[in-house]
Amino acid sequence: MTPSACRPPLADLVLPCLDEAEALPWVLGRVPAGWRAIVVDNGSTDDSADIARSLGATVVHETRRGFGAACHAGLLAARAELVCFCDCDASMDPGLLAPMAERVAAGETDLLLGRRRPQGRGAWPAHARAGNIALARMLRRRTGLRLHDLGPMRVARREALLGLDLSDRRSGYPLQMVVRAADAGWKVAETDVPYLPRSGKSKVTGTWRGTWHAVRDMRRVLAEPPGARTAPTEGISA
């Protein structure tokens, strides 16, 4: 093999961000070498945007509140062939995305998800885990995919993702990506990744109420018939 063939693929890393000033140095310090980190500030009231910029990240501002809105703004700002997504709360190590990107670049799979494996007490609250299990079961009935987790760490090709015409701008965005990928005949797989106690409180699944709203958004996504193209959802659900 030539040296260039041994080099891991380059990618853009989308990091949706809402008041993550504490976690950003840890997260950005683990971005694979040569990758561009795109921190999408979704209305932070702390110094998240300034800290991200000072650490070399590209900062995109998305004024529409919602996890999906932030993720999609990052996807639109991406330019690399491969696009990765990861939470910005220090619950997962972005360095783990490099071998995941290699698998997508090699054509082993079209969409690779990180299956969260909790490390330590408090890494994954019971209510959030219960909601995730329920969604995985509903996803299996809807698509036939035998996935265990709909976590936020994932890799796919940029142009292919744009072709899915993702419309959810709230909590259903990650699930809609998987559903529409399955409907399009993509190869979808998952790989284990350590899941650490996050920095700060979750904006989506930090409470039973937030988890319920997230599940509601995702049930709506699962109700879409194959081939559906819907208008973008707006705002936040919680």
Side-chain angles (χ1 to χ4, degrees):
M1 261 188 204
T2 63
S4 60
C6 296
R7 248 182 244 138
L10 298 181
D12 283 342
L13 173 56
V14 175
L15 296 160
C17 175
L18 177 60
D19 295 331
E20 301 291 3
E22 180 182 346
L24 274 166
W26 187 92
V27 172
L28 293 175
R30 284 159 176 77
V31 175
W35 287 24
R36 182 170 69 128
I38 303 173
V39 174
V40 184
D41 184 70
N42 199 207
S44 297
T45 57
D46 61 10
D47 296 328
S48 290
D50 291 337
I51 291 172
R53 198 175 290 110
S54 71
L55 294 171
T58 296
V59 176
V60 173
H61 293 277
E62 174 52 70
T63 58
R64 293 173 298 174
R65 288 285 292 274
F67 182 77
C71 287
H72 203 70
L75 175 60
L76 294 177
R79 293 295 178 264
E81 180 182 359
L82 296 178
V83 178
C84 305
F85 297 84
C86 185
D87 275 354
C88 200
D89 58 11
S91 61
M92 289 175 284
D93 185 347
L96 300 173
L97 283 160
M100 292 174 63
E102 290 179 16
R103 293 175 60 181
V104 175
E108 178 183 333
T109 185
D110 301 309
L111 174 61
L112 184 56
L113 311 177
R115 180 185 180 184
R116 291 170 288 185
R117 294 295 199 174
Q119 307 293 307
R121 297 184 63 180
W124 202 351
H127 58 271
R129 195 178 309 192
N132 189 72
I133 291 172
L135 287 167
R137 289 173 178 166
M138 289 188 283
L139 176 71
R140 187 175 302 176
R141 289 196 294 269
R142 167 65 173 76
T143 67
L145 293 175
R146 299 185 66 83
L147 299 175
H148 301 85
D149 188 15
L150 283 305
M153 180 177 274
R154 51 191 61 198
V155 187
R157 296 183 185 275
R158 175 180 175 272
E159 290 300 324
L161 283 173
L162 291 172
L164 294 179
D165 292 330
L166 300 175
S167 57
D168 194 284
R169 297 294 181 264
R170 299 189 301 214
S171 303
Y173 187 89
L175 178 61
Q176 187 180 59
M177 184 185 296
V178 176
V179 169
R180 293 195 175 179
D183 289 348
W186 289 25
K187 292 178 289 185
V188 182
E190 63 184 4
T191 186
D192 289 355
V193 296
Y195 191 48
L196 311 173
R198 61 157 289 141
S199 172
K201 185 177 181 181
S202 171
K203 286 78 176 175
V204 177
T205 57
T207 64
W208 280 100
R209 181 173 181 270
T211 299
W212 162 246
H213 282 297
V215 171
R216 184 188 63 185
D217 284 349
M218 295 180 189
R219 287 178 67 93
R220 183 185 64 249
V221 169
L222 289 167
E224 291 182 2
R229 291 295 182 266
T230 56
T233 57
E234 299 292 339
I236 56 176
S237 57

